[in-house]
Amino acid sequence: EIKYRTKHLLSTMERLDEPYQRLTKQVETCQDPSDAKKALEDRIETLMPIYQQIAVKFASLHDTPGRMKAKEVVSAVVSWRSARRFFFSRVRRRVYEEQVRRKIREADSSLRRNEITQILKRWHKDDAGLRPESFETDDVGVFEWLSIRSQRIEDRIETEILAPCLSKRIEEVVRNRPNCAVSGLIQLLSSMQMQPQVAGQAQALGPLTGSLTGSLPNSSGTHLQNQRQNLLQGIFGAGRRTSSAASSQTSNSTSSRPAPNPWSSRNVL
């Protein structure tokens, strides 16, 4: 009834019903088609309720679970007996998963949803050793993975997503605005409270930062660039010497390394 209007129903009757076909020919060929028209109208009145029921059934077949799954509109058919347990597990998993997705987007806002999905699938496969398709179907397993491995997931967000994103941003600043980058680095080293793990490097960089900070504002153009170049060389050279000295004390072995490029993204970061 929805898919088949009256004209479509009449066309279907003409295609399938032989008495209808015969009466239609009589109406077209007879000199006095009044009797044939009356018989044709009676035939239409008899067939219309039946064809309307068929039309309704035909339309409803498009929305059955089996048909929807065959057309890949839904991923699975849930039985009524297990529906409550299934949707509870699905909602619980989705809520927890969206929290992780939000953290990933906060770390790198350029990632799209499908890209985040691929990242989660890869992490799930690495940790659980399962096939990627289980990430879509195993709601209970994915929820347990997200909850049990929450700390590991946060660590991977920081190391695999946040750190590269920040490194890229800093590299772009250093490449596009080197003067601003150097000035900001001087101010940062002069004012920030250094963490315990870099206290040794902070102590080594302290005299260098203080001396150069005082000389930079009064320098002219060319001299200012030279001072900033020397600052970067001194900073990253001091950092390299500090880490080399620590490695030497631990392993009792020394190694010679070439002077680092002060404008390299690896050294800047």
Side-chain angles (χ1 to χ4, degrees):
E1 187 175 5
I2 298 174
K3 297 291 183 181
Y4 277 80
R5 304 301 180 185
T6 302
K7 61 179 182 179
H8 299 134
L9 292 173
L10 294 176
S11 177
T12 305
M13 292 178 191
E14 185 177 2
R15 188 177 75 252
L16 300 178
D17 188 68
E18 293 183 0
Y20 187 97
Q21 297 173 359
R22 185 174 61 254
L23 291 172
T24 302
K25 291 180 180 180
Q26 291 177 3
V27 170
E28 295 175 352
T29 58
C30 291
Q31 295 180 354
D32 186 11
S34 58
D35 294 339
K37 285 183 178 181
K38 182 66 171 62
L40 182 60
E41 291 175 356
D42 293 341
R43 185 63 180 173
I44 292 175
E45 185 178 356
T46 302
L47 295 177
M48 187 61 70
I50 300 174
Y51 275 74
Q52 284 179 341
Q53 293 179 11
I54 295 173
V56 172
K57 183 63 176 177
F58 178 79
S60 64
L61 286 175
H62 288 73
D63 297 329
T64 57
R67 184 60 180 168
M68 295 177 71
K69 186 177 187 301
K71 300 297 289 186
E72 298 182 353
V73 179
V74 297
S75 58
V77 178
V78 182
S79 64
W80 181 257
R81 182 182 297 274
S82 60
R84 187 171 185 175
R85 180 172 59 255
F86 172 84
F87 286 108
F88 170 78
S89 301
R90 173 58 58 91
V91 172
R92 183 180 60 171
R93 171 257 177 95
R94 290 299 186 189
V95 170
Y96 213 101
E97 181 181 337
E98 287 302 321
Q99 295 177 0
V100 177
R101 288 177 180 272
R102 184 170 61 252
K103 293 179 181 179
I104 295 176
R105 283 194 297 269
E106 291 175 355
D108 188 353
S109 58
S110 65
L111 292 175
R112 299 180 179 180
R113 184 173 182 85
N114 60 340
E115 295 174 334
I116 297 176
T117 300
Q118 295 303 319
I119 292 173
L120 292 176
K121 284 183 178 181
R122 176 167 55 83
W123 291 354
H124 178 253
K125 180 181 178 181
D126 294 343
D127 290 344
L130 302 175
R131 296 177 298 177
E133 47 272 23
S134 65
F135 183 82
E136 300 291 345
T137 57
D138 187 8
D139 293 324
V140 176
V142 172
F143 171 77
E144 292 177 352
W145 170 69
L146 291 172
S147 57
I148 295 175
R149 299 278 186 167
S150 59
Q151 185 59 48
R152 174 175 170 79
I153 293 174
E154 291 183 2
D155 293 341
R156 298 188 75 167
I157 291 175
E158 182 175 352
T159 57
E160 299 183 19
I161 298 177
L162 180 60
C165 180
L166 294 179
S167 299
K168 184 178 180 180
R169 293 178 184 175
I170 297 173
E171 182 180 358
E172 291 176 353
V173 172
V174 173
R175 181 183 297 111
N176 299 328
R177 297 290 187 271
N179 293 337
C180 298
V182 173
S183 300
L185 184 59
I186 295 172
Q187 183 178 1
L188 177 64
L189 293 176
S190 301
S191 62
M192 70 179 297
Q193 296 293 332
M194 307 300 278
Q195 299 295 329
Q197 57 268 28
V198 294
Q201 295 185 6
Q203 184 177 2
L205 298 177
L208 175 65
T209 305
S211 60
L212 291 180
T213 303
S215 63
L216 278 177
N218 297 324
S219 301
S220 60
T222 305
H223 186 62
L224 177 61
Q225 293 180 1
N226 294 334
Q227 290 285 1
R228 288 174 175 172
Q229 182 83 3
N230 295 334
L231 172 64
L232 285 178
Q233 292 178 348
I235 288 174
F236 299 113
R240 180 66 59 85
R241 289 192 299 270
T242 303
S243 59
S244 300
S247 176
S248 175
Q249 293 177 0
T250 303
S251 60
N252 294 324
S253 63
T254 60
S255 60
S256 60
R257 299 180 181 178
N261 181 6
W263 295 107
S264 172
S265 60
R266 179 178 179 183
N267 291 329
V268 172
L269 300 178

